[in-house]
Amino acid sequence: MCSWARCLDSGCAASVRRGVSTVIKVGVLGARGRMGSEAVRAVGEAADTELVAEVDQDDPIERLVESGAQVAVDLTHPDSVLNNIKFCVDNGINVVVGTSGLGPAELDSIRSWLADKPQVGVIVAPNFAIGAVLSMRFAELAAKYFDSAEIVELHHPKKADAPSGTAARTAHVIGKAREEAGLGAMPDATTKDPDGARGAEVDGVHVHAVRMTGLVAHQEVLFGTEGETLTIRHDSYDRRSFMPGVLLGIREVPSRPGLTVGLDVLMGI
Ligand SMILES: NC(=O)C1=CN([C@@H]2O[C@H](COP(=O)(O)OP(=O)(O)OC[C@H]3O[C@@H](n4cnc5c(N)ncnc54)[C@H](OP(=O)(O)O)[C@@H]3O)[C@@H](O)[C@H]2O)C=CC1
Ligand SMILES: O=C(O)C1=N[C@H](C(=O)O)C[C@H](O)C1
């Protein structure tokens, strides 16, 4: 496993040990976007990654193949991401996916494409920030101890999708942990909610989405039981917070064939 801090550094001893090329050729999809432009900078600055292709809207995706990219990083749009992944898998290019909006059906499609390309890896990272990855794990651990759990995700108003990928993933791990612990439905007497004030329900967990100028990416997971509550909050104030996770994914994906969801396993948590 890479140490998180070292993933900002130039070399990655784990990659060298595994015999992975020390300089990984990387293409960025969505290269001119908010996240893509940060990723272009991070890949260009790291000594063990080489930026070989920048692809944005209306650019030919074939650039990835022509440039010899070993890893593509997708930071595009929920409407585009699945086709991009299919193109990469078909062409034997590993993919690190940051784009949100991939649900269980889409993940199944990716698995089926990968079945025909056993050497290719796809990492889907609902959130690249270390604190966000930890907070999802903390929420998973806490879930079985509380009667109630709800999620409030808060983002900049240019975000296309709701709920966020992070919130959907967090709800999924909470729902699974509750089910494994034999917990039933959460207490909730609501019978009248014509305007959806109780939010979306994802895997049995209510999720509330806030869109507000001034925000970047934030989430609160609220747990409650008799006489106490626990709140797990994470804030990304700057998109630079995502870059160590992007680099970790790039370094790890060539040696992880198949589909990996979440960076937690890469971090050993
Ligand atoms: N996993 C994580 O940690 C994070 C994930 N994200 C996710 O990343 C995605 C991008 O976010 P963000 O950077 O804010 O969005 P932006 O809109 O700023 O950037 C997306 C870019 O991708 C371009 N684009 C759209 N479709 C394609 C395509 N088919 N091929 C190539 N480029 C394309 C867009 O062009 P145009 O605008 O012309 O359509 C735009 O330049 C979102 O899904 C977001 O949720 C964001 C932050 C962190
Ligand atoms: O669109 C964003 O900005 C973000 N998207 C991801 C998500 O949907 O969870 C990750 C992070 O929250 C920022």
Side-chain angles (χ1 to χ4, degrees):
M1 184 199 67
C2 298
S3 108
W4 193 267
R6 231 168 56 217
C7 280
L8 278 175
D9 294 347
S10 49
C12 185
S15 300
V16 176
R17 271 200 310 276
R18 284 194 306 270
V20 176
S21 165
T22 50
V23 177
I24 305 168
K25 293 183 175 185
V26 181
V28 175
L29 293 160
R32 290 192 287 276
R34 285 176 290 272
M35 272 293 280
S37 52
E38 279 293 338
V40 162
R41 186 191 57 76
V43 169
E45 284 178 6
D48 62 341
T49 56
E50 181 190 355
L51 182 71
V52 295
E54 295 181 46
V55 181
D56 205 88
Q57 188 75 276
D58 301 329
D59 295 331
I61 194 170
E62 289 75 16
R63 253 180 218 174
L64 293 175
V65 180
E66 290 155 11
S67 64
Q70 296 161 287
V71 177
V73 181
D74 194 293
L75 297 162
T76 60
H77 190 279
D79 293 344
S80 316
V81 59
L82 205 56
N83 284 341
N84 292 342
I85 296 170
K86 173 106 173 63
F87 176 89
C88 292
V89 171
D90 286 350
N91 285 280
I93 300 170
N94 303 295
V95 201
V96 176
V97 183
T99 308
S100 44
L102 297 174
E106 289 80 14
L107 296 178
D108 282 344
S109 298
I110 297 168
R111 279 189 198 95
S112 73
W113 304 330
L114 285 168
D116 297 330
K117 294 278 181 180
Q119 80 285 10
V120 178
V122 175
I123 294 176
V124 173
N127 201 307
F128 288 114
I130 179 173
V133 179
L134 286 167
S135 71
M136 284 185 263
R137 182 81 181 105
F138 296 156
E140 184 177 12
L141 288 173
K144 69 177 178 186
Y145 298 104
F146 291 87
D147 293 339
S148 305
E150 302 215 6
I151 299 171
V152 184
E153 57 98 328
L154 310 93
H155 282 84
H156 60 92
K158 292 191 172 156
K159 185 164 178 55
D161 55 318
S164 69
T166 309
R169 178 70 184 166
T170 310
H172 176 72
V173 298
I174 291 172
K176 190 158 171 277
R178 286 179 64 90
E179 191 182 325
E180 283 169 6
L183 297 186
M186 297 179 204
D188 183 359
T190 311
T191 52
K192 189 165 179 277
D193 178 15
D195 298 319
R198 293 287 290 114
E201 203 178 317
V202 181
D203 290 317
V205 181
H206 285 265
V207 181
H208 312 269
V210 177
R211 297 291 175 263
M212 194 169 286
T213 300
L215 297 179
V216 177
H218 317 260
Q219 177 166 285
E220 280 191 1
V221 187
L222 301 99
F223 291 101
T225 191
E226 290 301 318
E228 63 173 311
T229 63
L230 169 69
T231 303
I232 301 171
R233 181 170 175 119
H234 176 258
D235 299 276
S236 273
Y237 300 107
D238 189 305
R239 289 182 180 81
R240 293 174 72 95
S241 63
F242 301 117
M243 293 307 121
V246 170
L247 291 173
L248 177 64
I250 291 168
R251 289 170 179 140
E252 291 283 322
V253 73
S255 58
R256 289 182 184 270
L259 177 65
T260 304
V261 180
L263 292 190
D264 44 349
V265 65
L266 280 61
M267 290 168 60
I269 60 168

